[in-house]
Amino acid sequence: MKRLALLTVVLLAAAEPVRAQHFAPLLDRELRDLLHDELSGEWAKDHVIQISRHHRIQGSRGYRHSANYVLERLRSYGFADEDAYIESYPSDGRIEYQTWQSPSGWDIERAELRMVEPYEERIVGYPEVAMSLITYSNPGSVTAELVWVGQGTSDADYTGKDVAGKFILATGYGGEVHRYGVLKYGAAAVVAYLDDDRAKQYPDMLQYTGMWPRAHELDDVTFGFNITNRQGERLRTMLESGRRVVVRGEVSGIGLEPYYMDVVVARIPGGNRADETLVIVGHLDHPKESANDNASGSAAMLDMARSIRELIDGGRLPQPQRSLLFLWVPEWNGTMAYIDAHAEMTGPRFGGKYLASINLDMVGENLELLHSRMNLTSVPWSIPSVLTDVVANVAEMVSRMNIRTPRGSLSELNYKVTPYSGGSDHMMFIDRKVPAVMLGHSDYTHHTSEDTPDKVDPVELERSELIAAATMLYLSDLSTQQAVDLTYLAGANGARRLGAAARRANSLMATVPSPIADAWDEVRNIVSHAAEWQREVVSSVLHFNDDRLVRTAVASMQEQLSQQEEQLLRALEDRARVTGVAVTVRGTAADQRIPARKTRGPLDFGLPESQLSEGEVQWYSSAEFDLTGTERFELVNLVDGVRSVSSIRNALSAEFRPIPLSVVAHYLEDLVEVGVVAWRQ
């Protein structure tokens, strides 16, 4: 009964909000105030306005213009040629960087979609509304009848419809509609519009979509337009009422072409540990406007680079001990090209010296206008790191500061520490075992023409800058006293997270049919992996300071976590017996095969399906396969050449939910078949 009482206390403690407890900031007041004084959300907002004027599509000349703007600003801030430059990577739609196909280069001068029958009306034009042209469209001129095809992204949408040589009107993503309607069924061009709930609420916005042609499709790409929900519904109504609609589309310019992806690099060299690097990354690409996504992250990085450079040059801030690396990248594809060229970019688990990364993606939302919040996306279990604890602590510190600017909002910081999820460039670093956290927001304007500079808040930009800059400077110069303090924080947070894992395990016993043979296996798996993860989080402090006093503190915290693990398992065992769950190890046959990666960087999102036979692909749409994108990504992260298939399954199940071994094995077998993973002999 005592152990059951202990379990109840632990579960209640795990449920308490962290922010309700006593708060002690990691950062010293002097550095906090220095950064607060120098960082400028107003300067960053001005950069947002300048960057968002460029139609900065990956591999395009417009992107190069924005990259040059960033480099020119860095030069004006005192960065020398060797510390700020552009690395360019060929990008023609055929060259591959690891498993990632480069996008084609692209340049268009003007485009227009006009209705000519039953009456004449200009619908959209490019470049005044840059998102109106589906990116990676080719030049051409077509006057043809318009045909409604629903979503336009499946064979069923074209059944009984004659679309050959015609325009097709659809609500699916532009590139997929083109792939089906034009490349497969012979349509001439595409007209796409958004019809989800947000489009109905904001009927005059249009969605950003792209062709993203595969290498074998490059020679057959035509063109397409994005229009608003109001325009699309009007055309659809006309067609469904039986009226004949004829439209003319004209696109002029180069179109697809071999070009380059540019990565802007800025480095602030470190002192006596200059060979160790902390990375700040943000993607510079996206269509004209696209202010929060991601002119905001790019602008915040520019102001951070300026501020730190000027503080050092002015003698107000000592040179950081570790080097700070700023990367403005074309999202995913450009980051992959950079990583491919820099094999040394690996984290401590691979023996590398890239110790941490922060990804800034959509960091300037005006919370009063967009009703959004800041999300701090945690490092996943596959690379336990204290980075999440530091970022969360600094964010709480910033939330208690009165940050105001002349043109900024009066909002309070609204933030949440969220579990790992992908969707941006932190994925690329995590795959290389560089611990990475993302700062970002989400809102209804994402990838639409509504993402404009007026919705960017200088106050939120400055908060984001302060969180990222303070985190990196703190970790760069972590003193022994600070490292011991950080160890205690990580240990305390680890105890709370371990309690939360026990709570999840307890819930599992309460919800499964009882008795169930493998319920206890899952309970032990959750708690044991969570405890191991928390011990490694504490140990990661040593990457930043391995002084004897720090090692002693780490060992002490790890021992406490081990004792908590043992007590929790005993209490859960008592709970299992009370509820009728068999406290036995089922002893099922394990899969001891050991997979090893053959590529660097995350796998292309189309793998393995894009290289499997039609029959093999069907498994991925069956009820048996239900892995989420995050689970698939983490599964591959766990492939380290040491873990067996069973070990990977157990770690993945502990982090997310019980996942059948057969699903993990099948997925890995497919990765082996397509050549990106091999079985270790």
Side-chain angles (χ1 to χ4, degrees):
M1 291 300 294
K2 287 183 179 179
R3 290 202 291 262
L4 282 174
L6 169 66
L7 179 62
T8 301
V9 170
V10 169
L11 298 184
L12 288 173
E16 291 180 6
V18 179
R19 296 175 68 180
Q21 302 169 5
H22 172 71
F23 176 70
L26 292 171
L27 202 69
D28 64 76
R29 183 183 295 270
E30 183 179 359
L31 179 57
R32 181 200 71 181
D33 291 345
L34 186 64
L35 291 173
H36 184 199
D37 181 64
E38 186 64 31
L39 294 167
S40 171
E42 294 287 350
W43 273 117
K45 173 68 180 280
D46 188 61
H47 291 315
V48 169
I49 294 170
Q50 298 299 326
I51 292 170
S52 65
R53 288 173 174 159
H54 298 286
H55 194 44
R56 47 195 198 279
I57 301 302
Q58 291 191 8
S60 73
R61 297 165 189 247
Y63 179 95
R64 174 158 285 185
H65 295 155
S66 63
N68 286 333
Y69 170 82
V70 171
L71 184 60
E72 289 166 4
R73 292 294 83 212
L74 291 168
R75 289 274 188 270
S76 73
Y77 300 149
F79 282 82
D81 290 354
E82 64 270 20
D83 293 328
Y85 48 87
I86 291 176
E87 293 189 14
S88 295
Y89 300 94
S91 191
D92 64 359
R94 292 183 170 86
I95 295 170
E96 293 185 351
Y97 297 97
Q98 296 298 311
T99 61
W100 290 70
Q101 173 194 305
S102 64
S104 175
W106 185 62
D107 188 60
I108 289 295
E109 294 177 0
R110 65 177 301 276
E112 181 182 81
L113 179 66
R114 183 178 290 273
M115 181 166 61
V116 296
E117 191 181 325
Y119 52 86
E120 184 145 337
E121 176 182 284
R122 189 172 190 263
I123 300 174
V124 287
Y126 171 95
E128 62 265 40
V129 181
M131 290 186 197
S132 65
L133 182 65
I134 296 178
T135 59
Y136 303 110
S137 286
N138 265 324
S141 178
V142 174
T143 301
E145 187 177 349
L146 184 66
V147 179
W148 165 246
V149 294
Q151 269 205 306
T153 56
S154 70
D155 291 319
D157 293 327
Y158 297 89
T159 301
K161 296 176 182 177
D162 177 17
V163 300
K166 300 176 182 178
F167 273 94
I168 50 176
L169 177 68
T171 59
Y173 185 84
E176 280 302 296
V177 175
H178 179 273
R179 185 161 285 120
Y180 272 89
V182 175
L183 300 184
K184 189 170 185 178
Y185 288 99
V190 171
V191 180
Y193 72 96
L194 193 64
D195 73 337
D196 60 13
D197 289 340
R198 60 178 176 158
K200 293 170 184 174
Q201 186 174 358
Y202 303 95
D204 294 316
M205 75 179 184
L206 51 83
Q207 182 185 24
Y208 157 51
T209 70
M211 297 295 188
W212 299 102
R214 298 162 185 159
H216 68 276
E217 298 170 343
L218 288 170
D219 296 335
D220 299 315
V221 172
T222 62
F223 61 84
F225 290 90
N226 297 307
I227 62 175
T228 70
N229 177 270
R230 191 188 304 277
Q231 292 170 322
E233 287 294 288
R234 183 163 60 91
L235 291 172
R236 174 183 174 180
T237 299
M238 293 169 68
L239 292 171
E240 290 184 331
S241 68
R243 299 183 74 178
R244 183 173 186 268
V245 177
V246 176
V247 294
R248 179 170 65 243
E250 294 184 335
V251 182
S252 61
I254 295 172
L256 302 178
E257 63 169 343
Y259 206 63
Y260 299 91
M261 289 186 290
D262 296 333
V263 175
V264 187
V265 182
R267 180 179 291 274
I268 296 177
N272 59 13
R273 307 193 76 161
D275 60 331
E276 298 177 348
T277 301
L278 305 171
V279 184
I280 303 97
V281 63
H283 72 87
L284 182 59
D285 63 290
H286 269 1
K288 185 181 178 183
E289 303 294 356
S290 295
N292 273 313
D293 190 13
N294 184 39
S296 66
S298 298
M301 289 169 58
L302 258 179
D303 192 60
M304 289 165 58
R306 173 197 64 81
S307 299
I308 297 172
R309 180 76 274 162
E310 291 184 0
L311 286 171
I312 294 170
D313 291 345
R316 300 169 63 197
L317 181 71
Q319 182 181 19
Q321 295 305 300
R322 295 178 169 89
S323 297
L324 304 181
L325 179 66
F326 293 83
L327 297 174
W328 290 262
V329 297
E331 190 175 19
W332 288 328
N333 301 82
T335 311
M336 191 64 253
Y338 184 88
I339 288 174
D340 195 36
H342 294 271
E344 78 281 359
M345 181 174 278
T346 57
R349 285 203 159 207
F350 282 173
K353 295 190 176 183
Y354 286 77
L355 303 186
S357 175
I358 292 182
N359 175 29
L360 302 180
D361 192 351
M362 300 179 65
V363 296
E365 269 81 341
N366 187 312
L367 305 185
E368 294 172 357
L369 293 177
L370 299 175
H371 310 295
S372 182
R373 75 166 185 228
M374 180 185 294
N375 293 315
L376 311 178
T377 304
S378 302
V379 177
W381 285 28
S382 58
I383 44 171
S385 172
V386 76
L387 177 62
T388 301
D389 294 301
V390 176
V391 171
N393 183 274
V394 175
E396 180 62 19
M397 177 196 74
V398 171
S399 76
R400 296 164 185 253
M401 297 170 64
N402 184 30
I403 296 177
R404 294 289 177 254
T405 77
R407 296 178 295 173
S409 75
L410 299 177
S411 67
E412 297 296 327
L413 177 59
N414 177 22
Y415 80 91
K416 183 177 182 180
V417 181
T418 62
Y420 168 77
S421 61
S424 189
D425 293 286
H426 57 297
M427 301 171 60
M428 322 302 282
F429 293 90
I430 286 169
D431 181 90
R432 304 307 300 143
K433 299 300 181 282
V434 180
V437 164
M438 179 173 70
L439 272 63
H441 301 71
S442 60
D443 62 79
Y444 77 89
T445 71
H446 182 236
H447 284 191
T448 74
S449 56
E450 287 293 305
D451 182 9
T452 48
D454 59 293
K455 300 180 183 72
V456 176
D457 178 19
V459 169
E460 195 74 354
L461 283 170
E462 192 165 317
R463 289 170 177 154
S464 300
E465 291 181 55
L466 187 50
I467 293 170
T471 296
M472 290 313 202
L473 290 171
Y474 170 81
L475 290 174
S476 170
D477 296 352
L478 195 67
S479 68
T480 296
Q481 180 179 345
Q482 288 175 322
V484 171
D485 181 38
L486 178 56
T487 301
Y488 291 146
L489 174 67
N493 288 345
R496 176 183 55 81
R497 288 188 288 252
L498 183 50
R503 187 182 182 203
R504 183 156 61 93
N506 182 64
S507 177
L508 178 66
M509 286 194 294
T511 55
V512 298
S514 181
I516 185 169
D518 58 356
W520 182 246
D521 284 352
E522 298 296 351
V523 167
R524 288 190 62 90
N525 185 58
I526 291 170
V527 175
S528 296
H529 273 90
E532 178 185 357
W533 177 50
Q534 299 311 323
R535 287 190 292 266
E536 291 189 30
V537 168
V538 170
S539 179
S540 71
V541 177
L542 298 175
H543 297 152
F544 302 95
N545 189 311
D546 61 354
D547 183 85
R548 178 181 58 82
L549 291 176
V550 184
R551 293 198 303 271
T552 300
V554 166
S556 175
M557 288 296 100
Q558 289 181 322
E559 175 60 26
Q560 289 192 35
L561 288 166
S562 294
Q563 291 176 9
Q564 182 186 1
E565 175 191 7
E566 183 178 348
Q567 292 169 346
L568 286 172
L569 284 173
R570 288 177 180 172
L572 285 165
E573 184 176 333
D574 288 345
R575 170 72 171 162
R577 290 196 172 95
V578 169
T579 57
V581 173
V583 186
T584 57
V585 178
R586 189 169 140 190
T588 55
D591 190 334
Q592 298 299 343
R593 293 177 296 173
I594 298 176
R597 293 284 302 277
K598 296 177 66 176
T599 62
R600 294 197 308 275
L603 299 179
D604 175 81
F605 296 145
L607 290 172
E609 296 96 311
S610 62
Q611 296 185 27
L612 295 174
S613 69
E614 186 174 342
E616 291 170 320
V617 169
Q618 290 179 1
W619 180 69
Y620 289 86
S621 58
S622 70
E624 181 183 358
F625 182 80
D626 65 346
L627 292 179
T628 66
T630 296
E631 290 167 348
R632 289 172 68 161
F633 176 77
E634 186 71 334
L635 190 160
V636 175
N637 283 341
L638 292 166
V639 176
D640 58 3
V642 176
R643 292 184 177 95
S644 67
V645 175
S646 289
S647 296
I648 291 170
R649 178 268 165 204
N650 291 341
L652 196 66
S653 297
E655 185 172 359
F656 297 105
R657 60 187 172 85
I659 295 172
L661 177 63
S662 60
V663 172
V664 174
H666 190 148
Y667 187 70
L668 288 169
E669 287 162 0
D670 283 350
L671 294 180
V672 170
E673 181 177 340
V674 302
V676 296
V677 168
W679 297 117
R680 220 176 137 184
Q681 298 300 320

Coordinates of all heavy atoms in Angstrom, one line a residue, residues 182-232:
V182 N -2.6 16.8 -65.8 CA -1.8 17.1 -66.9 C -0.9 16.0 -67.4 O -1.0 15.5 -68.5 CB -0.9 18.4 -66.7 CG1 0.0 18.7 -67.8 CG2 -1.8 19.6 -66.4
L183 N -0.1 15.5 -66.5 CA 0.9 14.4 -66.8 C 0.2 13.1 -67.1 O 0.7 12.3 -68.0 CB 1.9 14.3 -65.8 CG 2.8 15.6 -65.4 CD1 3.8 15.3 -64.4 CD2 3.4 16.2 -66.7
K184 N -0.8 12.8 -66.4 CA -1.5 11.5 -66.6 C -2.6 11.5 -67.6 O -2.8 10.6 -68.4 CB -1.9 10.9 -65.3 CG -2.3 9.4 -65.3 CD -2.5 8.8 -63.9 CE -2.8 7.3 -64.0 NZ -3.0 6.7 -62.7
Y185 N -3.5 12.5 -67.5 CA -4.7 12.5 -68.3 C -4.7 13.6 -69.4 O -5.7 13.7 -70.1 CB -5.9 12.7 -67.4 CG -6.2 11.5 -66.5 CD1 -5.7 11.4 -65.2 CD2 -6.8 10.4 -67.0 CE1 -6.0 10.3 -64.4 CE2 -7.1 9.3 -66.3 CZ -6.6 9.2 -65.0 OH -6.8 8.1 -64.2
G186 N -3.6 14.3 -69.6 CA -3.5 15.1 -70.8 C -4.1 16.5 -70.8 O -4.3 17.1 -71.8
A187 N -4.5 17.0 -69.6 CA -5.0 18.3 -69.5 C -3.9 19.3 -69.9 O -2.7 19.0 -69.9 CB -5.5 18.6 -68.1
A188 N -4.3 20.5 -70.2 CA -3.3 21.5 -70.7 C -2.7 22.3 -69.5 O -1.5 22.6 -69.5 CB -4.0 22.5 -71.6
A189 N -3.5 22.6 -68.5 CA -3.0 23.4 -67.4 C -4.0 23.3 -66.2 O -5.1 22.8 -66.4 CB -2.8 24.9 -67.8
V190 N -3.6 23.9 -65.1 CA -4.3 23.7 -63.8 C -4.8 25.1 -63.3 O -4.0 26.1 -63.4 CB -3.4 23.1 -62.8 CG1 -4.0 23.0 -61.4 CG2 -3.0 21.6 -63.2
V191 N -5.9 25.1 -62.7 CA -6.4 26.2 -61.8 C -6.8 25.6 -60.5 O -7.7 24.7 -60.5 CB -7.6 26.9 -62.5 CG1 -8.1 28.0 -61.6 CG2 -7.3 27.4 -63.9
A192 N -6.2 26.0 -59.4 CA -6.4 25.4 -58.1 C -6.8 26.4 -57.1 O -6.4 27.6 -57.2 CB -5.1 24.7 -57.6
Y193 N -7.7 26.0 -56.2 CA -8.1 26.9 -55.1 C -8.3 26.1 -53.8 O -8.6 24.9 -53.8 CB -9.3 27.7 -55.5 CG -10.6 26.9 -55.5 CD1 -11.5 26.9 -54.4 CD2 -11.0 26.3 -56.7 CE1 -12.7 26.3 -54.5 CE2 -12.3 25.6 -56.7 CZ -13.1 25.6 -55.6 OH -14.3 25.0 -55.6
L194 N -8.2 26.8 -52.7 CA -8.3 26.2 -51.4 C -9.7 26.2 -50.9 O -10.5 27.2 -51.1 CB -7.4 27.1 -50.4 CG -7.1 26.5 -49.0 CD1 -6.3 25.3 -49.1 CD2 -6.4 27.6 -48.2
D195 N -10.2 25.1 -50.4 CA -11.6 25.0 -49.9 C -11.8 24.5 -48.5 O -12.8 23.9 -48.2 CB -12.4 24.2 -50.9 CG -12.2 22.7 -50.8 OD1 -11.1 22.3 -50.3 OD2 -13.1 21.9 -51.2
D196 N -10.7 24.6 -47.7 CA -10.9 24.2 -46.3 C -11.6 25.2 -45.5 O -12.0 26.3 -46.0 CB -9.5 23.8 -45.7 CG -8.5 25.0 -45.7 OD1 -9.0 26.1 -45.9 OD2 -7.3 24.7 -45.5
D197 N -11.7 25.0 -44.2 CA -12.5 25.9 -43.3 C -11.9 27.3 -43.3 O -12.6 28.3 -43.3 CB -12.5 25.3 -41.9 CG -13.4 24.1 -41.8 OD1 -14.3 23.9 -42.7 OD2 -13.3 23.3 -40.8
R198 N -10.6 27.4 -43.3 CA -10.0 28.7 -43.2 C -10.2 29.5 -44.5 O -10.4 30.7 -44.5 CB -8.5 28.7 -42.9 CG -7.6 27.9 -43.9 CD -6.2 27.9 -43.6 NE -5.4 27.1 -44.5 CZ -4.1 27.2 -44.8 NH1 -3.4 28.1 -44.1 NH2 -3.5 26.4 -45.6
A199 N -10.2 28.8 -45.6 CA -10.5 29.5 -46.9 C -11.9 30.0 -46.9 O -12.2 31.0 -47.5 CB -10.2 28.5 -48.1
K200 N -12.8 29.2 -46.3 CA -14.2 29.7 -46.3 C -14.4 30.9 -45.4 O -15.3 31.7 -45.6 CB -15.1 28.5 -45.9 CG -15.2 27.4 -46.9 CD -15.8 26.2 -46.4 CE -15.8 25.1 -47.5 NZ -16.3 23.8 -47.0
Q201 N -13.6 30.9 -44.3 CA -13.6 32.1 -43.4 C -12.9 33.3 -44.0 O -13.3 34.4 -43.8 CB -13.0 31.7 -42.1 CG -13.1 32.8 -41.0 CD -12.6 32.4 -39.7 OE1 -12.1 31.2 -39.5 NE2 -12.6 33.3 -38.7
Y202 N -11.9 33.1 -44.8 CA -11.2 34.1 -45.5 C -11.2 33.9 -47.0 O -10.2 33.4 -47.6 CB -9.7 34.2 -45.0 CG -9.6 34.4 -43.5 CD1 -9.5 33.3 -42.6 CD2 -9.7 35.7 -42.9 CE1 -9.4 33.5 -41.3 CE2 -9.7 35.8 -41.6 CZ -9.5 34.7 -40.7 OH -9.4 34.9 -39.4
P203 N -12.3 34.1 -47.7 CA -12.5 33.6 -49.1 C -11.6 34.4 -50.1 O -11.6 33.9 -51.2 CB -14.0 33.9 -49.3 CG -14.3 35.0 -48.4 CD -13.5 34.7 -47.1
D204 N -11.0 35.4 -49.7 CA -10.2 36.2 -50.7 C -8.7 35.9 -50.6 O -7.9 36.7 -51.2 CB -10.5 37.7 -50.6 CG -11.9 38.0 -50.9 OD1 -12.4 37.5 -52.0 OD2 -12.6 38.8 -50.2
M205 N -8.3 34.9 -49.8 CA -6.9 34.6 -49.8 C -6.7 33.4 -50.7 O -7.6 32.6 -51.0 CB -6.4 34.2 -48.4 CG -6.9 32.9 -47.8 SD -6.2 32.7 -46.1 CE -6.7 31.0 -45.8
L206 N -5.5 33.3 -51.2 CA -5.2 32.1 -52.0 C -3.9 31.4 -51.4 O -3.2 31.9 -50.7 CB -4.9 32.5 -53.5 CG -4.0 33.6 -53.8 CD1 -2.5 33.1 -53.9 CD2 -4.3 34.2 -55.2
Q207 N -3.8 30.1 -51.8 CA -2.8 29.2 -51.2 C -1.6 29.2 -52.1 O -1.7 29.2 -53.3 CB -3.4 27.8 -51.1 CG -2.4 26.8 -50.4 CD -3.0 25.4 -50.4 OE1 -3.9 25.1 -51.2 NE2 -2.5 24.6 -49.5
Y208 N -0.4 29.1 -51.4 CA 0.8 28.8 -52.1 C 1.0 27.4 -52.4 O 0.9 26.5 -51.5 CB 2.0 29.3 -51.3 CG 3.3 28.7 -51.5 CD1 3.9 28.7 -52.8 CD2 4.1 28.2 -50.5 CE1 5.1 28.1 -53.1 CE2 5.4 27.7 -50.7 CZ 5.9 27.7 -52.0 OH 7.1 27.1 -52.2
T209 N 1.1 27.0 -53.7 CA 1.4 25.6 -54.1 C 2.5 25.6 -55.2 O 2.7 26.6 -55.8 CB 0.1 24.9 -54.7 OG1 -0.2 25.4 -56.0 CG2 -1.1 25.0 -53.7
G210 N 3.1 24.5 -55.3 CA 4.2 24.3 -56.3 C 4.1 23.0 -57.1 O 3.5 22.1 -56.6
M211 N 4.7 23.0 -58.3 CA 4.7 21.8 -59.1 C 5.6 20.8 -58.5 O 5.3 19.6 -58.5 CB 5.2 22.1 -60.5 CG 4.3 23.1 -61.3 SD 2.7 22.3 -61.6 CE 2.0 23.5 -62.7
W212 N 6.8 21.2 -58.0 CA 7.8 20.3 -57.4 C 8.0 19.0 -58.3 O 7.8 17.9 -57.9 CB 7.5 19.9 -56.0 CG 7.4 21.0 -55.1 CD1 6.3 21.7 -54.6 CD2 8.6 21.7 -54.5 NE1 6.7 22.7 -53.8 CE2 8.0 22.8 -53.7 CE3 9.9 21.6 -54.6 CZ2 8.9 23.7 -53.0 CZ3 10.8 22.5 -54.0 CH2 10.2 23.5 -53.2
P213 N 8.3 19.2 -59.6 CA 8.4 18.1 -60.5 C 9.5 17.1 -60.2 O 10.6 17.5 -59.7 CB 8.6 18.8 -61.9 CG 9.3 20.1 -61.5 CD 8.7 20.5 -60.3
R214 N 9.2 15.8 -60.4 CA 10.3 14.8 -60.3 C 11.2 14.9 -61.5 O 10.8 15.4 -62.5 CB 9.6 13.4 -60.1 CG 8.8 13.4 -58.8 CD 7.8 12.2 -58.8 NE 6.9 12.2 -57.7 CZ 5.8 11.6 -57.6 NH1 5.3 10.9 -58.7 NH2 5.0 11.7 -56.5
A215 N 12.3 14.3 -61.4 CA 13.3 14.4 -62.5 C 12.7 14.0 -63.8 O 12.9 14.6 -64.8 CB 14.6 13.6 -62.1
H216 N 12.0 12.9 -63.8 CA 11.5 12.4 -65.1 C 10.3 13.2 -65.6 O 9.8 13.0 -66.7 CB 11.1 10.9 -65.0 CG 9.9 10.7 -64.1 ND1 10.0 10.6 -62.7 CD2 8.5 10.6 -64.4 CE1 8.8 10.4 -62.2 NE2 7.9 10.4 -63.2
E217 N 9.8 14.1 -64.8 CA 8.6 15.0 -65.2 C 9.0 16.3 -65.8 O 8.2 17.0 -66.3 CB 7.7 15.2 -64.0 CG 7.1 13.9 -63.5 CD 6.4 14.1 -62.2 OE1 6.6 15.2 -61.5 OE2 5.6 13.3 -61.7
L218 N 10.3 16.7 -65.6 CA 10.8 18.1 -65.9 C 10.4 18.5 -67.3 O 10.0 19.7 -67.6 CB 12.3 18.2 -65.7 CG 12.7 18.1 -64.3 CD1 14.3 18.0 -64.2 CD2 12.3 19.4 -63.5
D219 N 10.5 17.6 -68.3 CA 10.3 18.0 -69.7 C 8.8 18.2 -70.0 O 8.5 18.7 -71.1 CB 11.0 17.0 -70.6 CG 12.5 17.0 -70.5 OD1 13.0 18.0 -70.1 OD2 13.1 15.9 -70.8
D220 N 7.9 17.7 -69.2 CA 6.5 17.7 -69.5 C 5.7 18.7 -68.6 O 4.5 18.7 -68.7 CB 5.9 16.3 -69.3 CG 6.6 15.3 -70.2 OD1 6.8 15.6 -71.4 OD2 7.0 14.2 -69.7
V221 N 6.4 19.5 -67.8 CA 5.7 20.5 -67.0 C 5.0 21.6 -67.8 O 5.7 22.2 -68.7 CB 6.6 21.1 -65.9 CG1 5.9 22.2 -65.1 CG2 7.1 20.0 -65.0
T222 N 3.8 21.9 -67.5 CA 3.1 23.1 -68.2 C 3.0 24.2 -67.2 O 4.1 24.7 -66.7 CB 1.8 22.7 -68.8 OG1 0.9 22.3 -67.7 CG2 1.9 21.6 -69.8
F223 N 1.8 24.6 -66.8 CA 1.7 25.7 -65.9 C 0.4 25.6 -65.1 O -0.5 24.8 -65.5 CB 1.9 27.1 -66.5 CG 0.9 27.4 -67.6 CD1 -0.4 27.9 -67.2 CD2 1.2 27.2 -68.9 CE1 -1.3 28.2 -68.2 CE2 0.2 27.5 -69.9 CZ -1.0 28.0 -69.6
G224 N 0.3 26.4 -64.1 CA -1.0 26.4 -63.4 C -1.1 27.7 -62.5 O -0.1 28.4 -62.3
F225 N -2.3 28.0 -62.1 CA -2.6 29.2 -61.3 C -3.3 28.8 -60.0 O -4.1 27.9 -60.0 CB -3.5 30.1 -62.1 CG -2.8 30.8 -63.3 CD1 -2.9 30.2 -64.5 CD2 -2.2 32.0 -63.1 CE1 -2.2 30.8 -65.6 CE2 -1.5 32.6 -64.2 CZ -1.6 32.0 -65.4
N226 N -3.0 29.6 -59.0 CA -3.8 29.5 -57.7 C -4.7 30.7 -57.7 O -4.4 31.8 -58.0 CB -2.8 29.6 -56.5 CG -1.9 28.4 -56.4 OD1 -2.3 27.3 -56.4 ND2 -0.6 28.8 -56.3
I227 N -6.0 30.4 -57.3 CA -7.0 31.5 -57.2 C -7.6 31.4 -55.9 O -7.4 30.5 -55.1 CB -8.0 31.4 -58.4 CG1 -8.8 30.1 -58.3 CG2 -7.4 31.6 -59.7 CD1 -10.0 30.1 -59.3
T228 N -8.5 32.4 -55.5 CA -9.1 32.5 -54.2 C -10.3 31.5 -54.1 O -10.8 31.1 -55.1 CB -9.5 33.9 -53.8 OG1 -10.7 34.2 -54.7 CG2 -8.4 34.9 -54.1
N229 N -10.7 31.3 -52.9 CA -11.9 30.4 -52.7 C -13.1 31.1 -53.3 O -13.9 30.4 -53.9 CB -12.1 30.2 -51.2 CG -13.4 29.4 -50.9 OD1 -14.4 30.0 -50.7 ND2 -13.2 28.1 -50.9
R230 N -13.2 32.4 -53.2 CA -14.4 33.1 -53.8 C -14.4 32.9 -55.3 O -15.4 32.6 -55.9 CB -14.4 34.6 -53.4 CG -15.7 35.3 -53.7 CD -15.5 36.8 -53.5 NE -15.1 37.2 -52.2 CZ -15.9 37.3 -51.1 NH1 -17.2 37.0 -51.3 NH2 -15.4 37.6 -50.0
Q231 N -13.2 33.1 -55.9 CA -13.1 33.0 -57.4 C -13.4 31.5 -57.8 O -14.1 31.2 -58.8 CB -11.8 33.4 -57.8 CG -11.5 34.9 -57.7 CD -10.1 35.2 -58.0 OE1 -9.1 34.5 -57.6 NE2 -9.8 36.4 -58.6
G232 N -12.8 30.6 -57.0 CA -12.9 29.2 -57.4 C -14.4 28.7 -57.3 O -14.9 27.9 -58.2

